[in-house]
Amino acid sequence: MFPGEDVSRAVSSRLEELGIVPSDEADVCISNGFRCAKLAEGVWIKMQLCGETDMSQAVVAIAEYADVLAEPWPAMDVLADRIIGRYYRTHGTPQLRPLRAERAESSSGTAETSKDGDGGSGDGRPDEEGRREMCDEGTDEVSAEGAPQESEEDGDGEEAVVPTDGEPDEGERPEPVPKKDDDGEPPEIESERPRTEDGRLVPKEFPLLLELMRRGKFVCLIGPTGTGKSEMVKDAARVLGRRLFVCTAPQMSYDITGFVDAHGRYVRKPFSEAFMDGGICLMDEIDRAGPEALIAMNAPVANSIMYIEGVGQTDRHPDFLFVATANTAGTGADQEYVTANQLDASTRDRLIYLRVDYDEGIEMECAGGDSELVEFAHAWRLACEESGVTNALFTYRGIREFAELAADPMFGPAMAVEMALVKCALPRDTLLVVRRRMECSNRYADALDAYIAGLRETLR
C-alpha cells in the first residue's frame, strides 16, 4: 500500500512545477491521501502486470503525468491506464526475461504441463506474453512471439492468408518496436504480415483469432470502433471455409432461437441457423444486446442444446462457432460508449476475450503510406483520450477519407480536418485543449491550427 501523503506531495509538487492549477471541477484531491493512495495502488498493480519490479516507479509515473489529474477524474481504472500508457510510451516497457527464468526454475520437471498450448504458464497465471499483451495499450509495440503459425493441414481455404515468417526463437525476447525509427519516421509496413486474398493487410490479432476458432473457442473481440473486428471474423470465415451468419445487437429471445409464425412454420434466425446447420455466428455489438436475448444464447453456447418452441430440442452442430464483438469488456457504459450495457457474469464466463486495437500497418495503408498523417492520427487520438473528448474518432475509415480529401486540390488538408476529422462536432475551446496536448508538428497539425484559427469563439 502506498502512503497517501507521499503521493499527494509528489503530485502537488509536479503540478506546481508545471504551473497547472486544477480547475474548480477537478477531483485531484491533493489533500485527500486516501484517494491518491488508491490511485497509486491501482497504477502499481497494472505496472506489475507489465513486468515492473520497482515500486517507486508508480509514484514517479503519477507525478510525471500529474497534469492528467488537473481535470475531472474518470473511473480510477481508466485514469491508471492513461498514466501507465503515457509513461511506458516515453520510457519503454520493462524487460520480462527475469519472469521467464523465474517461472522456468519454479516449474522444473513440469515443462510438459506448463506448455499446454493455451499460452499459459500451467498454473493459471498469465505468462510474459500475456503480461505484455496487457501493456500493449501503453507501449504501442507489436510482438510477433505467441502468434500461431498457419498450418497447411487445418481447415479449408488455407491459401487465403499468407503465413508469417521470421518468428523469433523460443528463448529470445524481441526488443520493443519503437514508435519511430532513427530518422524520426514511423516504421514501414511489414511486408511479411499476413494478407487476405484481395491483398488487404490483416490486423496483428488475426492469427490469434484464427487459432482460437480452430480450437473451437467462443471469442469476444473488444476494442474501439473502426478497428476491423467484424472484418476479421469475415476473413476468418473465408479461411476456415465456413458460412457466416451475422446478427447485430439482438434484443428478444426469438432473435436467437427463431420462432413459429401464424402458419405453423418455423422461422430461423442467424444464430439458430448456424447452430443447427453449422457455421460461424457473428454477434455484432454484443454489449448493446438485450438481456432476454443473451439469456437465450447462454444455454446453447454452454450446453450444446437449444430448445425451440414448436420444434423441440436441437443439438448443436459440430461445426458451429460463435464470435462476438464489443466496444467494452461488458462492464457497462463509459464516457465514450454511453449506450453499452453491462453483460451478465454468465455471458462473460462463456467467452474468451481478445483485445483488438488500431494497427499502425493498416493505418499506413489507409493513409497511402503517408507517415505524417499516421503520426497526426496517433497524436490526435492520444490528446482526445487525455482531454476526455469522445466524439472525435479517427478510425481506419476516417484516415482513408482524410487522406483522399487532403490530396484533392479542391479540398486540401484544412477542409479535410473539418469534413473527415472534426466533422463540425467540436467547439473552438475544446479543439484548443486537444491541440495543446498534441505532440505533433507537421503539415496536418498546421492544417488543424488553420482550421481552429478560422473558428469563432464558443458562445457560453
Side-chain angles (χ1 to χ4, degrees):
M1 179 69 69
F2 284 82
E5 292 183 0
D6 291 349
V7 182
S8 297
R9 281 196 297 269
V11 173
S12 179
S13 174
R14 181 59 176 160
L15 286 175
E16 183 177 353
E17 179 184 342
L18 295 172
I20 296 176
V21 179
S23 66
D24 296 337
E25 300 177 353
D27 195 16
V28 68
C29 298
I30 295 299
S31 61
N32 188 336
F34 176 75
R35 285 211 69 186
C36 287
K38 292 299 291 182
L39 173 62
E41 181 183 9
V43 170
W44 170 236
I45 290 174
K46 290 175 176 289
M47 291 178 83
Q48 284 180 296
L49 295 175
C50 296
E52 188 64 68
T53 57
D54 185 359
M55 183 183 299
S56 65
Q57 294 305 305
V59 179
V60 172
I62 294 174
E64 185 168 346
Y65 297 105
D67 57 313
V68 176
L69 312 182
E71 299 173 356
W73 285 15
M76 195 77 73
D77 186 65
V78 174
L79 190 60
D81 284 339
R82 290 182 183 176
I83 292 173
I84 293 173
R86 293 180 65 181
Y87 181 76
Y88 282 145
R89 267 190 290 270
T90 302
H91 301 282
T93 52
Q95 294 296 320
L96 299 182
R97 279 199 185 98
L99 295 177
R100 177 190 292 270
E102 179 182 347
R103 193 176 71 245
E105 294 174 2
S106 63
S107 59
S108 178
T110 60
E112 291 78 5
T113 58
S114 66
K115 296 182 179 180
D116 56 2
D118 290 332
S121 61
D123 56 2
R125 297 174 299 169
D127 61 8
E128 53 267 48
E129 284 81 3
R131 296 170 186 262
R132 188 172 295 275
E133 179 88 11
M134 298 174 188
C135 308
D136 278 348
E137 191 173 73
T139 62
D140 291 331
E141 66 174 292
V142 180
S143 173
E145 188 171 16
Q149 293 287 341
E150 303 293 341
S151 170
E152 297 180 355
E153 301 176 0
D154 293 335
D156 299 325
E158 190 65 32
E159 66 279 359
V161 172
V162 180
T164 57
D165 297 320
E167 293 291 308
D169 295 335
E170 177 64 26
E172 298 180 358
R173 165 66 58 188
E175 294 297 325
V177 177
K179 190 173 182 179
K180 296 181 181 179
D181 58 22
D182 295 337
D183 298 328
E185 296 295 335
E188 296 181 358
I189 305 171
E190 307 96 320
S191 59
E192 70 274 9
R193 287 279 296 280
R195 292 181 179 271
T196 60
E197 288 180 322
D198 55 4
R200 288 181 293 104
L201 193 69
V202 299
K204 58 183 179 293
E205 298 87 359
F206 181 78
L208 299 176
L209 172 64
L210 196 60
E211 181 63 20
L212 288 171
M213 294 175 70
R214 282 181 174 142
R215 297 185 183 190
K217 306 296 185 182
F218 297 154
V219 186
C220 181
L221 302 176
I222 63 169
T225 185
T227 48
K229 299 183 293 294
S230 301
E231 200 67 29
M232 281 176 59
V233 182
K234 296 177 185 177
D235 292 334
R238 284 192 287 267
V239 173
L240 298 175
R242 301 194 188 184
R243 294 180 61 193
L244 181 65
F245 302 86
V246 181
C247 60
T248 302
Q251 298 300 312
M252 308 303 293
S253 60
Y254 57 74
D255 292 328
I256 298 295
T257 61
F259 59 92
V260 177
D261 64 14
H263 301 285
R265 296 173 298 193
Y266 173 59
V267 179
R268 296 186 177 191
K269 290 292 185 176
F271 183 94
S272 59
E273 191 167 0
F275 187 88
M276 292 188 291
D277 296 344
I280 300 171
C281 177
L282 167 60
M283 184 178 289
D284 253 334
E285 312 285 356
I286 190 175
D287 52 352
R288 270 77 168 180
E292 182 178 333
L294 295 180
I295 291 174
M297 180 203 75
N298 285 345
V301 169
N303 304 323
S304 306
I305 297 175
M306 179 167 59
Y307 179 80
I308 302 173
E309 186 175 356
V311 176
Q313 180 173 297
T314 303
D315 294 329
R316 185 174 73 192
H317 193 280
D319 290 335
F320 170 77
L321 284 174
F322 179 80
V323 183
T325 66
N327 297 129
T328 68
T331 52
D334 56 24
Q335 288 182 321
E336 188 168 6
Y337 301 104
V338 296
T339 62
N341 299 324
Q342 183 174 354
L343 298 183
D344 189 85
S346 60
T347 301
R348 285 174 48 83
D349 181 61
R350 286 157 170 78
L351 303 172
I352 291 178
Y353 277 65
L354 176 61
R355 185 180 295 278
V356 179
D357 208 342
Y358 292 107
D359 188 307
E360 188 165 345
I362 299 178
E363 289 173 331
M364 285 290 287
E365 291 203 338
C366 292
D370 189 342
S371 59
E372 286 190 343
L373 179 52
V374 174
E375 179 189 14
F376 176 72
H378 290 176
W380 172 266
R381 289 197 202 109
L382 180 60
C384 285
E385 178 185 352
E386 294 175 352
S387 304
V389 176
T390 60
N391 58 344
L393 302 174
F394 211 173
T395 64
Y396 297 147
R397 184 183 299 105
I399 292 176
R400 189 180 299 110
E401 292 175 346
F402 189 104
E404 181 180 345
L405 292 173
D408 192 325
M410 184 175 180
F411 301 99
M415 291 193 68
V417 168
E418 179 178 23
M419 301 171 69
L421 179 60
V422 178
K423 299 183 178 180
C424 307
L426 299 181
R428 186 173 187 272
D429 53 355
T430 301
L431 285 171
L432 286 171
V433 172
V434 173
R435 181 65 183 97
R436 289 192 190 104
R437 292 183 178 272
M438 291 179 64
E439 299 178 1
C440 178
S441 56
N442 58 31
R443 61 194 180 103
Y444 298 113
D446 294 341
L448 176 59
D449 292 336
Y451 172 73
I452 295 174
L455 292 177
R456 294 177 299 174
E457 292 287 346
T458 304
L459 299 178
R460 295 187 179 278

